[in-house]
Amino acid sequence: MSADAPDLPEPDCAPGAAHPRETLRLYGQGRAEGDFLGAFATGRLHHGWLITGPRGVGKATLAWRIARFLLSQADPGGLFAAPPPASLDTPPDHPVIRRSIALAEPRLFLLRRGPNEKGTALSADIRVDEARRLKGFLQLSAVDGGRRVVIVDAADELNVQAANALLKLLEEPPAAVTFLLIAHQPARLLPTIRSRCRELRAATLEPADMAAALAQAGIEVQAPEALAALACGSVGAAMRITNLDGLDLYARLVGLMAAQPRFDRAAALAFSDAAAGAANAARFDLVLDLFDLFLTRLARAGVVGAPFPEAAPGEAAAFARLALDASDARRWAELQQELGARARRGRAVNLDPAALVMDMVLHISAAAAA
């Protein structure tokens, strides 16, 4: 098990959330779990698994569930073998759970970003030094001769040297070792790494599963359908939206656009001020993302019709009026690209957040009035 500097945040844990190794219940990934269980039960367990899917849908939680399962299970088969397990659940009192949560499981290695060279912050990527520690772990024999598991979180953060070092281990894997590579953007990985792994895709969550996952994290949801639509099925995104009042912000944005061609300047100024100031830096980032999401959903409505379910009251009616056909959809998509570039430039030069938000509101308002 890897060990990181105790005074640095864990790079594979979302702010304000429990680490995936501490989350014992996983929602919405029954198909992925079934695919893995099928391979295990039939003796076709691949040595490398690439766990893919959007951010925040539970890929890391799935990887830790698989790791605990493998480290607590005997190989299937044999004349007197027990029936194949029906789930990846590990008994809550199993010592593997306690050791894994404490990062003290000797048969598990976590490969992730470590401290930078000065030890003052996290490295921007997974460096080759971390991958070499993994090689040393694999050269040792398992304490009980059983399985060992390697979790890479996230594989897209490997630098070139670390990726090549991992590739060599995947090409000649030690016996009874399973690699679990979490990838948010698998296209960024070396093709040779992807070819040596079996893909296990995590799905976006339906509203009921998302509400259950958020309840497990201590977050009660009043509008699960709207939140799931706005978070695009990602629990991580839903937590961020909930913690930063994103549902209310998006409803206010929809209200501003639904009033077109009448422009409510006072409401626009109040909306812009919600992202002002250093204390609202996280909310500012979310507001920019909400602009992008609003225009994405608006452009899509011009092609496939108003969204269902709505992410805010009145969204479907506003979209039906603003995006009548494919030509409208194309114009909104072009504006999304334009405003996305303006937002990136504005942030690069530290433009006042309220001014940048107001500028984007005015651009969308002008396009809507036209």
Side-chain angles (χ1 to χ4, degrees), residues 20-22 59 63 114 124 130 166 222 245 258 285 294 308 314 327-328 350 357 370:
R21 68 176 179 269
E22 301 174 294
K59 298 189 299 298
E130 302 295 326
L166 178 63
Q222 301 300 320
D245 301 320
D285 290 338
F294 173 83
F308 180 83
S327 62
D328 285 341
N350 293 321
V357 170

Side-chain angles (χ1 to χ4, degrees), residues 32-335:
E33 292 199 16
D35 289 346
F36 186 87
L37 280 169
F40 177 84
T42 56
R44 298 196 304 269
L45 189 64
H46 201 279
H47 73 276
W49 293 81
L50 186 62
I51 304 176
T52 65
R55 284 185 180 271
V57 297
K59 298 189 299 298
T61 302
L62 176 60
W64 282 92
R65 277 178 60 79
I66 291 173
R68 291 191 298 264
F69 170 83
L70 290 175
L71 296 176
S72 61
Q73 290 283 329
D75 287 329
L79 184 59
F80 302 103
S87 77
L88 294 178
D89 290 339
T90 301
D93 58 347
H94 199 288
V96 164
I97 290 183
R98 173 176 47 79
R99 292 195 298 261
S100 297
I101 290 176
L103 293 179
E105 171 55 56
R107 294 180 294 152
L108 175 63
F109 189 95
L110 174 59
L111 178 58
R112 58 182 178 177
R113 288 185 291 134
N116 60 14
E117 293 182 357
K118 296 182 179 180
T120 56
L122 291 170
S123 174
D125 50 25
I126 299 176
R127 298 179 299 169
V128 69
D129 291 347
E130 302 295 326
R132 287 171 179 157
R133 291 171 58 203
L134 168 59
K135 182 178 180 180
F137 166 81
L138 294 176
Q139 287 174 340
L140 299 174
S141 299
V143 292
D144 57 358
R147 296 180 180 277
R148 286 180 292 171
V149 178
V150 175
I151 296 177
V152 183
D153 192 1
D156 359 34
E157 296 175 349
L158 293 160
N159 67 19
V160 175
Q161 294 80 9
N164 284 320
L166 178 63
L167 174 60
K168 292 179 180 178
L169 298 173
L170 287 169
E171 289 175 334
E172 299 179 4
V177 173
T178 302
F179 293 83
L180 303 173
L181 280 62
I182 299 164
H184 310 300
Q185 296 176 292
R188 296 181 56 184
L189 300 179
L190 293 174
T192 42
I193 287 182
R194 297 201 305 269
S195 68
R196 282 161 176 78
C197 296
R198 175 174 169 179
E199 185 175 9
L200 199 61
R201 183 161 182 82
T204 56
L205 273 67
E206 297 296 326
D209 286 327
M210 177 171 290
L214 291 173
Q216 179 177 236
I219 300 174
E220 294 299 327
V221 180
Q222 301 300 320
E225 292 82 6
L227 183 59
L230 203 58
C232 301
S234 165
V235 176
M239 293 182 65
R240 177 183 177 227
I241 290 168
T242 301
N243 292 334
L244 297 174
D245 301 320
L247 280 175
D248 177 67
L249 289 169
Y250 188 76
R252 291 165 66 182
L253 176 59
V254 170
L256 284 171
M257 298 304 114
Q260 297 301 322
R262 181 177 60 84
F263 180 67
D264 190 336
R265 180 168 291 275
L269 287 171
F271 180 75
S272 303
D273 287 342
N280 286 321
R283 182 172 282 115
F284 173 52
D285 290 338
L286 176 61
V287 167
L288 296 184
D289 290 342
L290 292 177
F291 273 115
D292 188 77
L293 184 60
F294 173 83
L295 291 172
T296 298
R297 291 172 66 85
L298 179 54
R300 187 182 299 121
V303 178
V304 300
F308 180 83
E310 291 182 303
E315 182 190 45
F319 284 5
R321 187 163 55 84
L322 295 173
L324 299 177
D325 51 31
S327 62
D328 285 341
R330 182 171 59 254
R331 284 191 287 270
W332 289 118
E334 291 170 352
L335 183 62

Side-chain angles (χ1 to χ4, degrees), residues 260-261 364-370:
Q260 297 301 322
I364 298 176
S365 178

